[in-house]
Amino acid sequence: MKILVIEDETKVGAFIKRGLEEHHHQVEVYADGIGGQQAALEHDYDLIILDLMLPGINGITLCRNLRALEVGTPILMLTALNATQDIVDGLNAGADDYLAKPFHFSELIARLQALSRRKNQFHQDQAILAFADLQLNTNTKMARRGGQDITLTAKEYALLELLLKNTGKVLSRALISEAVWGLEFDTGTNTIDVYVNYLRNKIEKGFSGEKLIHTVVGMGYVMKQK
Amino acid sequence: MKILVIEDETKVGAFIKRGLEEHHHQVEVYADGIGGQQAALEHDYDLIILDLMLPGINGITLCRNLRALEVGTPILMLTALNATQDIVDGLNAGADDYLAKPFHFSELIARLQALSRRKNQFHQDQAILAFADLQLNTNTKMARRGGQDITLTAKEYALLELLLKNTGKVLSRALISEAVWGLEFDTGTNTIDVYVNYLRNKIEKGFSGEKLIHTVVGMGYVMKQK
DNA sequence: ATATTACTATGAAAATATTGGTTATTGAGG
DNA sequence: CCTCAATAACCAATATTTTCATAGTAATAT
């Protein structure tokens, strides 16, 4: 996920950044509200972590501004302990959740996951990912081709979902490794190739439809037709 | 959605109506409580937006009346800023959420979405949830299969209800944990698995009907047939 | 000809199922 | 108000099942 952190205490900001990066997120930190607001408007983040105590602009105002400008990105507020009024104000200003400082990092991760889950639950418009005569139902986690249901394992599903969300784009092994296995390094193994093979056996072998997962030698794999 | 707005300030009423219509909702506005209450009883709305400061009848009274008359439609109160007592009274009278005036339109939209989400998840005022030959009576909290009554504990009931309200959808342990136990973090225990096992023993073991709760390894559990 | 990718079998590891026991909670009776 | 018993909730261990990662070989592309 791409995450924007607006936090003036540099130590706290660095702590959050480091921790989130260890969880394979992409993080940008702004120490002032003005810069943070600008960034939020210009880029498309998956989550904004916003300290309410900021120099320059009040966090609640910032939050309200973003919502007024139709920025729908989930916002997680950081508040001082027992700042009940801040919490109420913040939620009214359009924030989605809050976390009282000081907090354990695991709490932050938990909130973050809860938020993305909630968001995914609401965004049900993309329940089915389809390409050519292949469909992937993100609710049932089942694939379907030629009227036939196909059961996938967790890794197979993650891989197919990635391919279907990036049809026509060549995905490098490094990118696949990071997205599906959460690894940022090259393991030196052929695990990805093996899983591509598993997928091909399930969604291509025995089906009359054309080949969908194509190898680009030296580059990676693509989901495409022709 | 079909939305009823009860608001005496015509400017505010018009503002809400216009905004909601831009979001493709169907809106009716009543400027007085008596007319609004009448409308709420006669038509079937998806949401009622109710100003607490009304001429003729008090908003809280109106809210209480509707609930007494078995109108289950979600009610979103509009209150003056810092009218804490009103908020408490309103929620006690059966309102589902509140919004302090003045508010940004995006806040209203957010509340509305949150309410409809909550409603879909929890407020299915259908007394009996049924799937295949299994029934769950949400009033008596009893399950029934093959003409035989099954008593459930609180957690078992909550879990079964969740599954039945999301048949066909794979529910992750994280989601189940949040919905049934209210936890946003992973306790590191296998409590969910144990309760799935309890449920299976009660609703599957000893019944001729087919298996209904399916495990999807690495993903979670689903209620489905076949 | 060689680098790269495809395929396959297998043991290891992870995930899940099941069971037994411990701690909480509740409700009746003293 | 307390005690006790019954039930529910929870946890941890072990058993079982499924999935995964590896490595070796075959096939294919450049």
Side-chain angles (χ1 to χ4, degrees):
Chain A
M1 295 214 299
K2 204 173 157 193
I3 300 173
L4 171 63
V5 178
I6 308 178
E7 162 67 73
D8 61 313
E9 295 175 62
T10 47
K11 276 195 176 177
V12 177
F15 168 69
I16 295 175
K17 180 176 163 73
R18 181 160 38 81
L20 288 176
E21 282 176 346
E22 277 168 14
H23 282 77
H24 315 293
H25 297 295
Q26 200 179 325
V27 184
E28 283 175 31
V29 182
Y30 283 81
D32 68 304
I34 310 291
Q37 180 171 319
Q38 198 65 21
L41 291 169
E42 282 170 9
H43 306 288
D44 195 19
Y45 296 97
D46 298 302
L47 175 72
I48 298 172
I49 297 176
L50 172 65
D51 189 1
L52 288 193
M53 298 282 286
L54 288 173
I57 186 172
N58 179 280
I60 289 169
T61 308
L62 201 162
C63 188
R64 193 171 285 126
N65 287 351
L66 291 178
R67 293 301 186 230
L69 294 164
E70 306 277 321
V71 173
T73 314
I75 295 178
L76 175 68
M77 305 180 285
L78 298 182
T79 67
L81 200 58
N82 293 326
T84 318
Q85 192 53 49
D86 276 1
I87 293 167
V88 172
D89 290 348
L91 292 174
N92 278 331
D96 296 86
D97 203 353
Y98 70 93
L99 191 57
K101 292 201 288 189
F103 55 85
H104 283 281
F105 202 80
S106 55
E107 282 184 70
L108 177 58
I109 294 294
R111 298 296 174 125
L112 193 148
Q113 286 170 344
L115 276 175
S116 75
R117 218 163 32 239
R118 239 177 278 166
K119 195 191 172 195
N120 290 339
Q121 212 173 11
F122 174 62
H123 267 275
Q124 281 189 350
D125 32 357
Q126 290 180 1
I128 292 183
L129 293 167
F131 184 69
D133 57 339
L134 174 69
Q135 292 146 266
L136 181 67
N137 186 318
T138 59
N139 285 330
T140 63
K141 312 290 183 195
M142 298 266 279
R144 192 167 236 286
R145 194 169 188 189
Q148 196 172 333
D149 281 327
I150 303 164
T151 307
L152 302 169
T153 71
K155 289 276 190 285
E156 288 164 359
Y157 172 83
L159 177 56
L160 183 54
E161 186 184 33
L162 180 69
L163 287 166
L164 282 171
K165 281 183 174 169
N166 294 281
T167 49
K169 195 184 287 182
V170 177
L171 303 175
S172 71
R173 286 184 173 71
L175 193 147
I176 293 172
S177 173
E178 192 176 340
V180 177
W181 280 267
L183 304 171
E184 283 172 357
F185 50 91
D186 182 12
T187 57
T189 68
N190 67 341
T191 304
I192 292 172
D193 302 43
V194 170
Y195 276 82
V196 169
N197 188 237
Y198 287 163
L199 259 191
R200 283 177 169 154
N201 284 338
K202 288 198 177 178
I203 68 171
E204 291 181 345
K205 199 169 272 184
F207 288 96
S208 52
E210 65 185 307
K211 185 175 165 161
L212 296 176
I213 303 175
H214 297 258
T215 304
V216 184
V217 177
M219 301 266 173
Y221 296 96
V222 215
M223 164 89 35
K224 67 168 184 179
Q225 289 181 289
K226 194 196 60 128
Chain B
M1 294 215 299
K2 202 172 159 195
I3 300 173
L4 170 64
V5 178
I6 309 177
E7 164 66 78
D8 61 314
E9 296 175 63
T10 47
K11 276 197 175 176
V12 176
F15 168 71
I16 295 174
K17 181 176 163 74
R18 180 160 38 81
L20 288 175
E21 282 175 347
E22 277 169 13
H23 282 77
H24 314 294
H25 296 295
Q26 198 179 326
V27 184
E28 284 175 30
V29 182
Y30 282 80
D32 68 304
I34 310 292
Q37 179 171 319
Q38 198 64 23
L41 290 169
E42 283 170 8
H43 306 287
D44 194 19
Y45 297 97
D46 298 300
L47 175 72
I48 299 172
I49 297 175
L50 172 65
D51 189 0
L52 289 193
M53 298 282 286
L54 287 172
I57 184 171
N58 179 280
I60 289 170
T61 308
L62 201 163
C63 189
R64 193 171 286 125
N65 287 351
L66 291 179
R67 292 300 184 230
L69 294 164
E70 306 276 317
V71 174
T73 315
I75 295 178
L76 175 67
M77 305 180 285
L78 298 181
T79 66
L81 198 58
N82 294 326
T84 318
Q85 193 53 50
D86 276 1
I87 293 167
V88 173
D89 291 347
L91 293 175
N92 280 332
D96 295 86
D97 203 353
Y98 71 95
L99 193 55
K101 292 200 286 190
F103 55 86
H104 282 277
F105 201 79
S106 54
E107 287 182 70
L108 175 59
I109 295 293
R111 297 298 176 126
L112 193 147
Q113 286 169 344
L115 275 175
S116 75
R117 207 157 51 230
R118 235 179 283 166
K119 189 195 174 195
N120 291 338
Q121 209 174 9
F122 303 110
H123 237 283
Q124 283 187 353
D125 31 346
Q126 212 163 10
I128 292 183
L129 292 167
F131 184 70
D133 57 339
L134 174 69
Q135 294 144 266
L136 181 68
N137 187 318
T138 60
N139 291 328
T140 63
K141 312 290 182 197
M142 296 269 281
R144 197 175 173 76
R145 193 170 188 188
Q148 195 172 331
D149 281 327
I150 303 164
T151 310
L152 301 170
T153 70
K155 295 287 184 222
E156 288 165 358
Y157 172 83
L159 177 57
L160 183 55
E161 185 186 32
L162 180 69
L163 286 166
L164 282 171
K165 282 182 174 172
N166 293 281
T167 49
K169 192 184 287 185
V170 176
L171 304 176
S172 70
R173 286 183 173 71
L175 193 145
I176 293 172
S177 173
E178 199 179 322
V180 177
W181 279 266
L183 303 173
E184 283 181 357
F185 53 91
D186 182 11
T187 58
T189 69
N190 68 340
T191 305
I192 292 172
D193 302 43
V194 171
Y195 274 83
V196 168
N197 191 235
Y198 288 164
L199 259 189
R200 282 177 170 155
N201 285 337
K202 287 197 177 179
I203 68 170
E204 291 181 345
K205 199 168 272 183
F207 288 95
S208 52
E210 65 185 309
K211 182 175 168 161
L212 296 175
I213 304 175
H214 297 256
T215 304
V216 184
V217 177
M219 304 206 166
Y221 296 96
V222 214
M223 164 92 31
K224 67 169 183 178
Q225 288 180 289
K226 201 191 57 127

